[in-house]
Amino acid sequence: MEQTSISASAEPKETPSSVPKSSDSTANATPAHAESSSNHSDRQRESENNFGGSRGSGRGQEGKAKKRKERSRNRRDRNDETKRRRIEKNDGNLPVYATEFSKDEIDKEGRRPKRKVAVLIGYSGSGYKGLQLSDKEKTIEGELFKAFVEAGAISKANADDPKKTSLVRCARTDKGVHAAGNVLSLKLIIEDENIVEKINSHLTSQIRVWGIMRTNGSFSAYQLCDSRIYEYLIPTHCFLPPHPKSYLGRKLDELAAEANDVEGYAARQEEVSTFWTSVEETTIKPLLATMDPSLRAEALRIIFEGGSQTLKAEVQKSKRESAQESSTHPEAPQRTTTPLEQAVRTLKTAYQHARLAYRLSPTRLARIQSVLQSYIGTLNYHNYTIGKGARDPSCKRVMFSFKTAPEPTIINNTEWLSMKVHGQSFMMHQIRKMVSMMALTVRAGTPEERIKESFSLDKWNIPKAPGLGLLLERPVFGSYNKDLRTKGGVDRDPLEFVKFEREMDEFKQREIYERIHREEEEKVLFHGFLASLDNLRSSQLLYLTSVGYEATKRAKEGAEESIEDVEDLEKVLESGDEKEEPADGWIEG
């Protein structure tokens, strides 16, 4: 009897979506090989046509199908020609994931049957340049492809070209983004009943194959995926209000008075109204009392307003003296910090400890969940991605649910909140911008209806939250599984993750959650992200105030910002990562 499912151990049904799918950055898949920009445009046009549903006569549909086939054939021809020229010129090295075998080795191996399968995988994205294959960068798919070859699941004849295996991914993730569950579809040699164990033996602990399931020959992990579920982890101190001395904190108070919304603003911040006052009285004032009086005001100004010429001059002087000392005495110790540097560092540490000690109240948690409900339904997310116009039909995306965990968890003295979003598909940076907008709305005491206003045709600059906290929980194949049950398919297992949940939970805890917690503790990405927004002297985020988008709009029209302000804004709005992502990174990703 033919085996239909192979796993390292030994099934969740979801409601399928009836809304057409379109290309997305955070979750949709593309062919495994790199494509030219013209190919990308072809896929985008097809995606936008699909979003509009079936229109016109059957003859019109046949014409579209013919054009799609022609474009696909042209793409293959261009790719084959590029490869031929590279070989003829002998100017191309093998991709990092490819293995080249001699003709004798290939002939000796012989031919073995390949089967179309779905490979269920999980991975921690730290240290990898995303999921998708790259000729020069280390990626998750690159590691998997090499492991398939080494385990004998891909023949030596096909070890240099993933196109020969028809590799397609369900959800493409960005650099550093994790996945507890994702799916690849491709043709593998699976006659060995221990093939999953063999593949995993050639992978690091950061990447796991949960199981391999037989599918029909036309199966596509991208095309047949109904929806995706993502999880985002965020420290709860991100929901504290901006410090009253920060630029954004002052603007929130100022514009609440202008809009006659002082009482409303205070009510929305009631449960955190005394937090900063208490920190100043019990922690900061005693520290300031121990410092040189000439340093106090400048240290606080640096923390809440940014750079200081005094501090820069001190640091440069200290570096010059240290360099001179090193040139004459090579074994001299490293330079010591200046008094102003030490004062700033001491105050920043005290503020950070106060943030970490914060614990989310039930009232604040309920407000978070209420704000997340604003995303449910079909909405125009043009402000939640990049490179899309307000009238682009592909910006319409469907969210089924967005829920927080019942309560936060405390890891290494930091409180974290988990939230999961279930949507049909997502665009580039969409989830991270959704999380960012929600967090900014809660922490700034912004009226909840501001979320709905952000789906208007106006252009809003919404920052993207750090990619560190994002992971793909799993894709959903409800329609595919339903067809298996209703149309037969007795020799195929449903495409589900249930039977792997124990292993997946252990993997998430060890390789994803602990890694997220550790990286945040070391790099303080979330606080750095929000502090840069709080102290950015720009009108672009004034839509968070009681006045709303009008405050941002009138500042734009009044040209209140300098070119330097705008350049700083662009850097901060895209500062959700420790390092800049490649322009074609998708997530989510």
Side-chain angles (χ1 to χ4, degrees):
M1 180 177 178
E2 189 176 41
Q3 192 172 17
T4 63
S5 175
I6 307 173
S7 66
S9 58
E11 299 180 316
K13 184 178 72 174
E14 298 286 344
T15 304
S17 166
S18 61
V19 181
K21 294 188 280 286
S22 55
S23 174
D24 65 83
S25 59
T26 65
N28 287 2
T30 57
H33 56 281
E35 297 179 343
S36 66
S37 59
S38 63
N39 297 340
H40 175 74
S41 299
D42 289 340
R43 291 199 310 275
Q44 183 173 349
R45 286 194 294 271
E46 289 181 30
S47 172
E48 294 172 359
N49 288 337
N50 290 339
F51 187 89
S54 178
R55 297 176 183 172
S57 65
R59 182 177 302 173
Q61 294 300 311
E62 291 177 3
K64 290 181 180 178
K66 185 176 180 180
K67 289 181 179 179
R68 284 196 294 270
K69 289 181 180 179
E70 184 177 349
R71 285 197 293 268
S72 179
R73 185 167 57 251
N74 289 339
R75 284 198 297 269
R76 288 196 300 271
D77 291 344
R78 286 196 296 269
N79 290 330
D80 290 344
E81 178 65 14
T82 299
K83 184 176 180 181
R84 183 187 63 77
R85 289 176 180 173
R86 187 186 68 192
I87 293 173
E88 288 178 353
K89 293 167 67 176
N90 195 28
D91 62 354
N93 296 320
L94 279 176
V96 294
Y97 55 79
T99 305
E100 190 172 37
F101 293 93
S102 68
K103 185 177 184 301
D104 288 343
E105 289 176 305
I106 293 172
D107 291 342
K108 184 177 179 180
E109 182 183 46
R111 294 177 62 87
R112 290 178 292 165
K114 295 183 293 184
R115 306 293 185 214
K116 191 64 172 288
V117 298
V119 182
L120 281 61
I121 60 173
Y123 51 87
S124 167
S126 298
Y128 292 93
K129 294 292 185 178
L131 170 67
Q132 184 176 345
L133 285 166
S134 169
D135 286 357
K136 298 181 180 180
E137 303 281 1
K138 185 173 76 166
T139 68
I140 302 297
E141 282 184 349
E143 298 298 291
L144 282 164
F145 186 79
K146 289 189 291 186
F148 291 155
V149 173
E150 291 167 346
I154 290 178
S155 68
K156 293 177 180 178
N158 296 336
D160 62 341
D161 190 353
K163 287 185 293 182
K164 297 176 182 177
T165 67
S166 303
L167 174 61
V168 172
R169 67 201 62 83
C170 171
R172 179 161 64 173
T173 55
D174 269 348
K175 170 180 65 95
V177 176
H178 320 290
N182 203 347
V183 176
L184 305 178
S185 59
L186 72 164
K187 296 176 182 178
L188 291 181
I189 302 166
I190 58 171
E191 54 194 15
D192 187 339
E193 62 180 13
N194 297 317
I195 191 63
V196 170
E197 287 80 0
K198 287 186 176 180
I199 294 170
N200 282 329
S201 71
H202 295 287
L203 293 169
T204 70
S205 61
Q206 278 186 244
I207 308 174
R208 292 291 89 183
V209 172
W210 305 126
I212 297 176
M213 297 183 176
R214 281 292 310 277
T215 65
N216 57 39
S218 62
F219 177 81
S220 166
Y222 164 50
Q223 294 291 346
L224 293 179
C225 179
D226 296 320
S227 57
R228 289 96 176 158
I229 299 174
Y230 279 84
E231 181 178 12
Y232 195 91
L233 300 176
I234 185 170
T236 59
H237 63 71
C238 293
F239 300 107
L240 283 168
H243 193 284
K245 292 180 181 178
S246 68
Y247 176 81
L248 183 57
R250 297 195 303 272
K251 284 295 183 179
L252 289 170
D253 287 332
E254 175 188 322
L255 295 179
E258 178 184 320
N260 295 319
D261 186 41
V262 173
E263 292 184 2
Y265 173 62
R268 294 189 293 273
Q269 300 282 46
E270 182 177 5
E271 66 272 15
V272 290
S273 60
T274 62
F275 179 83
W276 288 118
T277 302
S278 175
V279 170
E280 293 294 331
E281 289 294 328
T282 61
T283 304
I284 302 304
K285 281 188 177 181
L287 280 177
L288 290 174
T290 66
M291 295 180 180
D292 185 332
S294 64
L295 300 178
R296 297 171 188 169
E298 183 66 5
L300 287 172
R301 194 190 71 77
I302 291 170
I303 290 174
F304 295 113
E305 296 184 21
S308 163
Q309 294 301 320
T310 302
L311 179 60
K312 289 180 181 178
E314 282 192 9
V315 171
Q316 291 301 322
K317 179 181 178 181
S318 176
K319 286 182 177 179
R320 286 195 299 270
E321 293 174 349
S322 178
Q324 292 171 359
E325 183 71 13
S326 297
S327 63
T328 56
H329 301 85
E331 297 181 358
Q334 297 292 323
R335 78 172 186 90
T336 57
T337 56
T338 67
L340 183 55
E341 278 183 285
Q342 187 58 49
V344 171
R345 184 174 300 172
T346 299
L347 290 173
K348 282 187 173 182
T349 300
Y351 278 121
Q352 179 64 2
H353 285 166
R355 292 186 192 91
L356 295 178
Y358 170 72
R359 297 296 177 257
L360 195 69
S361 69
T363 303
R364 204 72 164 170
L365 179 58
R367 177 162 162 76
I368 292 169
Q369 183 59 69
S370 179
V371 173
L372 290 177
Q373 289 300 112
S374 302
Y375 292 120
I376 306 306
T378 303
L379 296 165
N380 184 352
Y381 282 91
H382 74 96
N383 281 320
Y384 290 80
T385 186
I386 59 175
K388 296 279 189 178
R391 301 185 185 280
D392 188 331
S394 69
C395 292
K396 292 182 180 179
R397 300 289 160 133
V398 185
M399 301 299 117
F400 303 123
S401 66
F402 206 156
K403 298 179 180 179
T404 70
E407 57 185 27
T409 58
I410 298 176
I411 306 294
N412 297 335
N413 202 39
T414 300
E415 188 177 62
W416 292 79
L417 181 64
S418 168
M419 56 193 76
K420 294 184 180 182
V421 56
H422 182 191
Q424 187 184 74
S425 60
F426 301 87
M427 293 181 291
M428 182 185 289
H429 305 324
Q430 181 183 334
I431 297 174
R432 291 163 64 183
K433 286 177 177 279
M434 292 167 72
V435 171
S436 175
M437 185 64 181
M438 175 277 296
L440 291 172
T441 297
V442 173
R443 70 192 299 270
T446 304
E448 292 182 20
E449 57 267 23
R450 201 59 41 79
I451 298 285
K452 291 293 186 184
E453 294 170 8
S454 70
F455 298 112
S456 68
L457 297 181
D458 292 319
K459 173 63 178 175
W460 295 40
N461 284 312
I462 300 176
K464 67 174 188 278
L468 175 67
L470 183 66
L471 67 133
L472 174 61
E473 176 73 13
R474 69 182 188 275
V476 179
F477 293 85
S479 297
Y480 172 79
N481 293 336
K482 182 179 179 180
D483 285 344
L484 285 180
R485 292 190 297 269
T486 59
K487 297 181 181 179
V490 293
D491 62 336
R492 301 288 184 266
D493 287 340
L495 202 50
E496 299 174 336
F497 286 87
V498 168
K499 58 187 175 185
F500 310 114
E501 281 187 347
R502 182 178 61 82
E503 296 94 329
M504 290 172 68
D505 287 343
E506 292 175 355
F507 177 82
K508 279 197 297 184
Q509 185 62 44
R510 182 184 70 253
E511 296 293 342
I512 298 180
Y513 292 159
E514 290 183 7
R515 198 177 295 270
I516 290 174
H517 302 150
R518 186 168 60 250
E519 287 191 31
E520 172 59 16
E521 189 173 335
E522 294 172 355
K523 301 172 183 176
V524 199
L525 295 177
F526 283 92
H527 167 61
F529 166 67
L530 292 173
S532 63
L533 295 178
D534 290 349
N535 297 320
L536 181 68
R537 304 178 70 82
S538 168
S539 65
Q540 294 298 313
L541 298 180
L542 295 186
Y543 55 73
L544 296 169
T545 68
S546 298
V547 173
Y549 181 74
E550 183 62 30
T552 294
K553 184 178 179 181
R554 71 190 183 194
K556 285 181 180 179
E557 294 173 347
E560 293 182 5
E561 296 174 340
S562 67
I563 293 176
E564 289 78 11
D565 290 331
V566 175
E567 290 176 347
D568 288 343
L569 171 71
E570 293 301 321
K571 293 177 182 178
V572 172
L573 290 181
E574 296 302 314
S575 66
D577 299 304
E578 179 193 12
K579 295 181 180 179
E580 189 68 19
E581 292 186 14
D584 60 348
W586 300 73
I587 317 224
E588 230 343 272

